[in-house]
Amino acid sequence: MSTESMSELGQQLRVDSVRCSAAAGSGHPTSSMSAADLMAVLLDGGFLQMDTDDLGNPANDHLIFSKGHASPLYYAVLKAAGIIDDAELLTFRKLDSRLEGHPTPRIPPTDVATGSLGQGLPIAVGVALAGAKLDRLPYRVWCLCGDSEMAEGSIWEAFEHAAFNGLDNLTAIIDVNRLGQTRETMVGWDLDRYVHRAEAFGWNAIAIDGHDVDAIAFAFGEAVATTGKPTVIVAQTKKGKGVRAVEDQPGKHGKPLDDAEAAIAELGGERELEVRIAAPEAGEPHVFSASGGELPTWELGDEEATRKAYGAALTALGAMRGDVVALDGEVSNSTHSEMFREAHEERYFEMFIAEQQMVAAAVGMQVRGWVPFASTFAAFLSRAYDFVRMAAVSQADIRLSGSHAGVSIGEDGPSQMALEDIASFRAINGSTVLHPSDANQTAKLVAAMADRKGISFIRTLRGKTEVRTPPDEDVAIGGSRVVRDGDDIAIVACGITVDQAFAAAETLAGEGIDARVIDAYSVKPIDAETLRSAARDCGAIVTVEDHAPEGGLGDAVLEALAEADDRPPVRKLAVRGVPTSGTPDELLHWAGIDADGIADAVRSMVRERVG
Amino acid sequence: MSTESMSELGQQLRVDSVRCSAAAGSGHPTSSMSAADLMAVLLDGGFLQMDTDDLGNPANDHLIFSKGHASPLYYAVLKAAGIIDDAELLTFRKLDSRLEGHPTPRIPPTDVATGSLGQGLPIAVGVALAGAKLDRLPYRVWCLCGDSEMAEGSIWEAFEHAAFNGLDNLTAIIDVNRLGQTRETMVGWDLDRYVHRAEAFGWNAIAIDGHDVDAIAFAFGEAVATTGKPTVIVAQTKKGKGVRAVEDQPGKHGKPLDDAEAAIAELGGERELEVRIAAPEAGEPHVFSASGGELPTWELGDEEATRKAYGAALTALGAMRGDVVALDGEVSNSTHSEMFREAHEERYFEMFIAEQQMVAAAVGMQVRGWVPFASTFAAFLSRAYDFVRMAAVSQADIRLSGSHAGVSIGEDGPSQMALEDIASFRAINGSTVLHPSDANQTAKLVAAMADRKGISFIRTLRGKTEVRTPPDEDVAIGGSRVVRDGDDIAIVACGITVDQAFAAAETLAGEGIDARVIDAYSVKPIDAETLRSAARDCGAIVTVEDHAPEGGLGDAVLEALAEADDRPPVRKLAVRGVPTSGTPDELLHWAGIDADGIADAVRSMVRERVG
């Protein structure tokens, strides 16, 4: 490491950013050039510690590009570190290349996908939490942020949580190149404003010239030496640095340089520097001992809220497995994750009212192999929807529990009622959507989620429901249960509406209508076979859900039967209109999804078939 | 106004908070009691200016409870102001009461629903922006925040935007009662930390004892007198103030007091104070003149991107109507709202990379009757999903434009591709979901959105598509167009897949398969009649969308046919799996939603019917 070698490496990173963007015909070279010196010092200065021969080494540092559009720089870094070769660098943005337009885990050692701004830093907080509190290893998390993304509120959630948790293993680097996509940012080059904000949020903050490699090295050194709090390096830079045609110019965002060859020449031409990245000291992650035990069960006929069964099951799972961790958005006495906190305090993370940071932390923890379950009201998981969307792109394995589903919560009113959650989670690639109707189902599904890949979501109820599932009955993702047999019509329900459907079926039996009741506790994947049998045996289907009519259980049933041999008419009962306050019973009735509403729908469909 | 009268009013507000929560059997009296003195001074001190005989008076101040769970206090305020009577106060949380568990616009003068924390302040910023930049009236916006919700990133988006826009007509009041739902907040009673943060974000900040009515009055006076920047009053309070059994006690969140009668006695008993709220000076909102003109049209066969047609149509609409305003998340040269900015700069709001604040600002502006259109990449609207959800509860009329839909954006990769947007927007109560396939459709739908109630979403494309809709053809919300007639099978497409479906149909015609192609540009409401005709005439249906399989066009088609007389098999073609980078054509092919994929699906379905 010398001033000259770091500067030379910075130029190489610029040249390679220009080259791969030119080869792709698209990309963000100018946003890469501003941060090139920062990354050159991180590598050549020996600050980043990573075993490039073993990218899965648990002792490795983590490097997260929160400004994912600076992917040309990221890939140039990987080349300089010997992780990819020049030929692969030039496959940037092409089909089948591991080097996508924005980084994804398809190219190791990339932990997570970035490109939706403001997400990398909150995820970095999650990785740093894992390092400090779970793995208990000294690895560092380095996170490169753009200045435009400092306008995202999620960034400030991350600042608060990192300081609150004393994460001195986290270093954020803000590339203050002043220029956003169309104009100057709100802060521009007023570095002091970033410094004051960061300090007010409890960080150590260092303002530097982001093109002065010695200053950068000094700042990184201070970051490493600072204990008890995270450090942010606020680096004044120039977008497009080093090439007059684009340097600090507006209108040069997100496009290759007009004359790449001239730019490369101006930058001093191609270089073939390869940096031997410093390897970390060996270390093994901490393992939490499992005390054993088994999942809780409830007796048939017991009354219990599925949210409480969630808490009990998660707590038992935490005793059975040392890798399970829990996070909550400061409603742990509502979601009942408090039971886990009481039993496994070291593996519980209070994320306060910051749902974006909560989901991001879960994503960060699973990067290191932990098995996170994050809970809040299902309605408030919508706050983190972009994080869930991106978690799927990251191929992350996270488990989310949303309580207080639907109008059945009652008096608190519509702001607290999840009515769009099944639809939004179903649309996430590779997701699992579960909505158990009783405590025994809940416990078994929670256990199944721990081994599930991708995004799993379990929706729980505020009120108690009767336990109808025998403790020893098989309950599995993709399954369902036939609560009541019958061949005249099938009623497909889930969650709170199972009780209502059963009651309706009992009433209808007295009228000579024999209704089959199916509890579709696994909404995605749904038990298509059971539904197709019902379609074959019964002349009509009623679906009933405490959810909006679109994208929920009803649509899942229609999808399962879309190409089936038997396609009876399907009537979807769901919540239409904005609910108000009221008792759970009043609101279920208002929505037409109580036993009365179901029975009416069945009668009407049976009449139509006869008529 | 006197120290004594303000203190007495504060006690009344506490007593009424306790009383209505007791009557309801639920609610948040302790979170109300902490802020009672703050509200008493706001009313009795003459700071809040509102014509209570004309709650729609445009000159009125606005009072937004960002901590919506303090609804008992809010309703106690309305009673003290003579807006509701005591009998109505005691209907709190009952079915059919206007006084829901969290405030909603069902009870005037409530502007918006709150109860999802961290939303009231960003919406208040929107109302304040309307006051300063659109209405140009001196009304003030008063926003009561909880300290727990300061952990939401959206709060800091609001802080940044309020200061950047110099909103001295906005006063935030933080009720720092220290205690969240389950524990102390991260900041506790360290008022200086809030002050430093607020100052670092550009606000005037005043720390006070929130139970000292004279100090409160002084602070409100300073807020009103401060120019050029917003003011935040950081008020140290005690949760449950005034009743020993709950004051500053943990475990007392969100439940009525155990002994309401004793508490009322301790608070000095019921009072019947009524405050004559100060009326504002009369004032009329500014009107932007409309210069006229008409919507743009394109000739058949032209090639244009629908995002560009969006920009052109919105700009024309802005000339035709003075009430239309535009907001963008710093991607205006991608969404093409930049055209509106250039033409109508005074009605354009740059919201930078802060999608939550963007949607909240739109909600705030429509409170005052403006017609906001907010745009960003459709993928990034997912960042504001909870705000959209709550906007529906607020019965807000907002229009959202999401560009760069689906895999057809190509090289940028999955982080930038909206694939869940149709599903998530369809599930919003009363929403409208539009996905035009060409420029002429886009322009007409943009105009229709301006008059549409509720949440309307238009999804636009990055790449150009051929104009197939004649300039004079009727295009309406709820409509569709038959692009090609045929009776063997129906292909239902929207957006980018219409071109692909048409090409597939042309190929299939050469093979003796006569496919009907339907352009379902209105996904919600969908043109059920046209789909039912297709179901009757054609033996099978293929749906094809650049979106996830769940909750999108395919599910909308299935829903439309769920109870139809004719229910042919429906095959849904959609994006299954996580996309990568690639060219648009490569990715459409990879997803099986290009002409080849469609033709294959049709052939297979036709074979199955014959076989």
Side-chain angles (χ1 to χ4, degrees), chain A residues 74-223:
Chain A
Y74 182 66
Y75 301 136
V77 163
L78 297 190
K79 180 193 142 184
I83 295 169
I84 62 169
D85 61 22
D86 195 64
E88 185 165 13
L89 178 71
L90 299 179
T91 65
F92 179 46
R93 287 177 164 246
K94 293 196 169 59
L95 190 72
D96 298 330
S97 171
R98 299 190 296 173
L99 312 187
E100 299 194 58
H102 295 73
T104 74
R106 294 178 71 218
I107 175 68
T110 313
D111 291 318
V112 290
T114 51
S116 179
L117 290 171
Q119 299 206 14
L121 186 63
I123 293 169
V125 168
V127 179
L129 278 171
K133 315 276 187 183
L134 298 170
D135 287 329
R136 302 179 185 176
L137 283 172
Y139 59 74
R140 300 191 67 76
V141 184
W142 304 91
C143 183
L144 179 67
C145 298
D147 53 347
S148 281
E149 69 177 323
M150 302 302 287
E152 286 283 12
S154 54
I155 289 286
W156 299 101
E157 295 182 16
F159 265 80
E160 179 153 44
H161 283 261
F164 181 72
N165 288 286
L167 297 179
D168 51 22
N169 57 346
L170 173 65
T171 306
I173 306 157
I174 314 178
D175 175 22
V176 187
N177 66 24
R178 183 180 75 86
L179 294 174
Q181 177 166 327
T182 70
R183 54 162 290 171
E184 190 175 39
T185 67
M186 286 183 274
V187 178
W189 271 332
D190 188 350
L191 302 198
D192 281 350
R193 287 166 68 185
Y194 289 120
V195 167
H196 291 152
R197 290 178 191 182
E199 287 175 346
F201 275 80
W203 285 49
N204 177 42
I206 312 168
I208 58 167
D209 172 351
H211 300 308
D212 177 340
V213 292
D214 295 314
I216 298 168
F218 185 83
F220 284 158
E222 182 177 323

Side-chain angles (χ1 to χ4, degrees), chain A residues 267-561:
Chain A
L267 291 165
E270 291 184 35
R271 292 163 181 80
E272 292 297 339
L273 303 171
E274 192 170 319
V275 183
R276 177 90 200 142
I277 303 291
E281 267 187 60
E284 283 303 314
H286 176 75
V287 174
F288 291 92
S289 60
S291 59
E294 53 191 33
L295 290 174
T297 56
W298 288 260
E299 294 304 310
L300 287 178
D302 281 359
E303 297 263 335
E304 187 55 280
T306 54
R307 59 180 169 132
K308 200 154 185 184
Y310 168 79
L314 188 64
T315 305
L317 199 64
M320 294 156 70
R321 302 174 53 141
D323 56 355
V324 168
V325 300
L327 308 90
D328 198 280
E330 226 290 63
V331 288
S332 59
N333 56 346
S334 294
T335 61
H336 287 288
S337 69
E338 66 178 359
M339 299 165 74
F340 186 99
R341 183 187 70 227
E342 286 158 10
H344 315 290
E345 196 178 356
E346 292 180 304
R347 285 184 272 151
Y348 175 86
F349 295 85
E350 182 54 71
M351 303 311 291
F352 298 92
I353 315 276
E355 295 80 8
Q356 296 183 105
Q357 177 59 73
M358 179 178 74
V359 172
V363 171
M365 290 171 183
Q366 66 84 43
V367 161
R368 285 288 314 122
W370 298 95
V371 179
F373 283 75
S375 48
T376 182
F377 283 32
F380 304 141
L381 286 174
S382 65
R383 199 60 157 270
Y385 192 46
D386 194 25
F387 285 76
V388 175
R389 180 184 77 84
M390 286 296 294
V393 179
S394 292
Q395 301 179 35
D397 304 324
I398 59 170
R399 295 122 201 112
L400 302 171
S401 172
S403 68
H404 292 70
V407 302
S408 78
I409 69 164
E411 291 80 358
D412 270 338
S415 64
Q416 321 291 303
M417 295 170 178
L419 289 167
E420 306 81 4
D421 53 327
I422 296 179
S424 54
F425 277 104
R426 269 182 80 229
I428 296 291
N429 187 270
S431 66
T432 302
V433 179
L434 307 169
H435 189 25
S437 67
D438 74 15
N440 280 336
Q441 284 179 8
T442 305
K444 290 181 182 176
L445 292 173
V446 167
M449 288 168 78
D451 294 316
R452 188 78 174 169
K453 304 296 287 179
I455 315 297
S456 347
F457 167 62
I458 188 165
R459 184 185 211 229
T460 67
L461 299 169
R462 176 175 179 274
K464 291 182 177 182
T465 51
E466 181 185 333
V467 174
R468 297 184 182 282
T469 310
D472 57 352
E473 187 174 294
D474 193 35
V475 175
I477 293 171
S480 69
R481 72 186 301 267
V482 177
V483 181
R484 187 183 186 289
D485 231 328
D487 285 346
D488 291 333
I489 195 160
I491 308 170
V492 186
C494 59
I496 197 77
T497 59
V498 171
D499 272 353
Q500 303 294 331
F502 186 80
E506 295 287 294
T507 301
L508 291 162
E511 301 168 19
I513 299 173
D514 204 16
R516 182 178 304 186
V517 177
I518 296 170
D519 179 349
Y521 56 76
S522 179
V523 181
K524 180 184 174 190
I526 200 158
D527 184 352
E529 196 179 325
T530 295
L531 294 172
R532 290 178 184 207
S533 297
R536 187 180 59 239
D537 302 340
C538 310
I541 293 177
V542 170
T543 66
V544 54
E545 60 196 306
D546 193 356
H547 183 272
E550 300 86 6
L553 174 68
D555 280 5
V557 169
L558 286 168
E559 174 178 51
L561 302 179

Side-chain angles (χ1 to χ4, degrees), chain A residues 26 28 93-96 100-102 104 106 114-119 148-154 156-157 160-161 164 180-187 193 196-197 200-201 330-334 341 350 352-356 379-380 382-383 385-387 389-390 392-393 411-417 419-420 423-424 426-429 524 548-551 555 558-559 562-563 567-572 575-582 586-587 605 608, chain B residues 26 28 93-96 100-102 104 106 114-119 148 150-154 156-157 160-161 164 180-187 193 196-197 200-201 330-334 341 350 352-356 379-380 382-383 385-387 389-390 392-393 411-417 419-420 423-424 426-429 524 548-551 555 558-559 562-563 567-572 575-582 586-587 605 608:
Chain A
S26 66
H28 297 76
R93 287 177 164 246
K94 293 196 169 59
L95 190 72
D96 298 330
E100 299 194 58
H102 295 73
T104 74
R106 294 178 71 218
T114 51
S116 179
L117 290 171
Q119 299 206 14
S148 281
E149 69 177 323
M150 302 302 287
E152 286 283 12
S154 54
W156 299 101
E157 295 182 16
E160 179 153 44
H161 283 261
F164 181 72
Q181 177 166 327
T182 70
R183 54 162 290 171
E184 190 175 39
T185 67
M186 286 183 274
V187 178
R193 287 166 68 185
H196 291 152
R197 290 178 191 182
F201 275 80
E330 226 290 63
V331 288
S332 59
N333 56 346
S334 294
R341 183 187 70 227
E350 182 54 71
F352 298 92
I353 315 276
E355 295 80 8
Q356 296 183 105
F380 304 141
S382 65
R383 199 60 157 270
Y385 192 46
D386 194 25
F387 285 76
R389 180 184 77 84
M390 286 296 294
V393 179
E411 291 80 358
D412 270 338
S415 64
Q416 321 291 303
M417 295 170 178
L419 289 167
E420 306 81 4
S424 54
R426 269 182 80 229
I428 296 291
N429 187 270
K524 180 184 174 190
E550 300 86 6
D555 280 5
L558 286 168
E559 174 178 51
E563 292 191 70
R567 296 182 300 276
V570 175
R571 181 164 302 174
K572 298 200 296 189
V575 180
R576 298 169 197 272
V578 177
T580 62
S581 290
E586 286 170 345
L587 294 173
M605 288 195 89
E608 278 169 32
Chain B
S26 65
H28 296 77
R93 288 179 163 244
K94 294 197 169 60
L95 191 72
D96 298 330
E100 299 194 58
H102 295 73
T104 74
R106 294 179 71 217
T114 50
S116 179
L117 290 171
Q119 298 206 15
S148 280
M150 302 304 285
E152 285 284 10
S154 54
W156 299 100
E157 295 181 17
E160 178 153 43
H161 283 262
F164 181 72
Q181 177 167 327
T182 70
R183 53 163 290 170
E184 190 176 40
T185 66
M186 286 184 275
V187 178
R193 286 166 68 185
H196 290 153
R197 290 178 190 182
F201 276 79
E330 226 291 63
V331 288
S332 60
N333 57 345
S334 293
R341 183 187 71 226
E350 181 54 70
F352 298 91
I353 315 276
E355 295 81 8
Q356 296 184 104
F380 304 141
S382 65
R383 198 61 156 267
Y385 191 47
D386 194 27
F387 285 75
R389 181 184 75 83
M390 286 296 295
V393 179
E411 291 80 356
D412 270 339
S415 64
Q416 321 290 302
M417 296 170 177
L419 290 166
E420 306 81 4
S424 54
R426 269 183 79 228
I428 296 290
N429 187 270
K524 180 184 175 189
E550 299 87 5
D555 279 5
L558 285 168
E559 174 177 51
E563 293 192 69
R567 297 182 298 276
V570 175
R571 182 164 300 175
K572 298 200 297 188
V575 180
R576 298 170 197 272
V578 177
T580 61
S581 290
E586 285 170 344
L587 294 173
M605 289 196 88
E608 278 169 32

